[in-house]
Amino acid sequence: MTAPSVLRIRVRLFAVQRELAGTRELPLALPEGATIEDAWQALVKRHPVLAPGRASVRFARNGAYAEPAETLADGDELAFIPPVSGGGSARRVLEIREAALGASILADLEQRLATPADGAVVGFIGRTRKSPGTPAPGQEAEAARHAGGLVESLTYEAHDEMALRVLATIADEIEARFGVDGLAIVHRTGDVPLGEASVAIVAVAPHRDEAFAAARYAIDETKARAPIWKAERFADGHVWIGEPPRVGPAGDPA
């Protein structure tokens, strides 16, 4: 059977790109041999407002980060990843959830993960704060409009399937680097009021040094790599926050 002369590609948009284009997804028809970069250019022809964001965009093909020169196949799903803010075995809890995390989230995760062999439990909670963060590329003017204002809430949006794969990769790296296999990364999506938890990290290990290192690595890499976007909401608008995502661990040339 010969390959189709036209490739049918599903494109998914998130966060600021979704708002600018006015859609969460759209189909593209591309010629055989087209690359991810060709798909981006075709998208920009439909939505020129997206063009200024090219320098900070990363790409994902079928749920995994990919290079712009990669050749596409018929039926591929592409996600164009704007700047990011970030299930499993019995010893891993990796979740993206809309429900509030609750005041007992760290204790709940400790109960699920810890065994009699674990002498250390390190927990981290990331909460919504009132002071604004660094605007994503292209959001500087909107951030300036809200200069001096107080954040009233945050809204998180995620590419759920890909985010869970990235979290699983981070968990694998933690086990390889620190020997810690008891780990929870739970991130909330949707609207998060001021002062509520948006992310919870728990690492359990026989000794404290490894548990501290694992928890720190988990939150740093989640924020830098997971396709999870954050908007700060003010009384009269919102600003998307973040930087272009890394596709691998810090210091990795890939």
Side-chain angles (χ1 to χ4, degrees):
M1 180 182 294
T2 59
S5 58
V6 176
L7 306 179
R8 306 291 179 181
I9 307 299
R10 177 193 181 201
V11 171
R12 298 181 66 184
L13 302 175
F14 298 90
V16 64
Q17 293 176 349
R18 170 183 53 75
E19 291 185 344
L20 291 173
T23 184
R24 291 183 179 275
E25 64 178 72
L26 72 163
L28 286 179
L30 300 171
E32 185 178 353
T35 64
I36 292 174
E37 182 65 35
D38 294 330
W40 170 260
Q41 296 301 328
L43 177 67
V44 167
K45 285 184 179 179
R46 289 196 196 181
H47 300 284
V49 69
L50 297 176
R54 174 63 184 89
S56 60
V57 169
R58 300 293 183 267
F59 304 101
R61 178 187 178 199
N62 300 326
Y65 281 116
E67 294 299 318
E70 192 169 311
T71 302
L72 293 167
D74 189 52
D76 276 349
E77 177 190 281
L78 282 183
F80 297 124
I81 307 295
V84 297
S85 34
S89 69
R91 291 278 287 180
R92 288 185 184 177
V93 180
L94 308 175
E95 297 179 1
I96 305 294
R97 62 166 79 164
E98 291 188 18
L101 300 188
S104 65
I105 182 65
L106 295 183
D108 293 343
L109 293 172
E110 176 186 356
Q111 183 68 28
R112 292 173 67 178
L113 291 173
T115 71
D118 295 311
V121 178
V122 173
F124 170 84
I125 290 288
R127 291 171 17 118
T128 304
R129 66 175 188 267
K130 64 182 180 181
S131 56
T134 303
Q139 290 282 282
E140 293 84 0
E142 189 66 12
R145 190 171 74 82
H146 296 289
L150 296 179
V151 176
E152 295 188 350
S153 66
L154 296 182
T155 297
Y156 286 91
E157 181 177 329
H159 185 324
D160 289 8
E161 301 91 340
M162 184 176 176
L164 290 171
R165 291 178 189 173
V166 172
L167 296 185
T169 298
I170 292 169
D172 288 342
E173 293 165 1
I174 287 171
E175 186 168 1
R177 290 172 182 243
F178 310 114
V180 174
D181 64 353
L183 180 73
I185 307 174
V186 180
H187 207 299
R188 190 172 171 186
T189 56
D191 295 331
V192 182
L194 199 67
E196 289 195 12
S198 56
V199 59
I201 305 287
V202 170
V204 301
H207 305 290
R208 64 180 181 273
D209 287 348
E210 292 80 2
F212 274 114
R216 180 59 184 263
Y217 189 92
I219 186 59
D220 287 351
E221 294 301 305
T222 296
K223 287 178 64 66
R225 292 160 59 185
I228 301 171
W229 301 275
K230 177 172 70 176
E232 293 176 340
R233 297 202 170 272
F234 300 85
D236 59 346
H238 66 274
V239 178
W240 289 98
I241 301 300
E243 300 177 354
R246 279 196 277 104
V247 299
D252 188 334

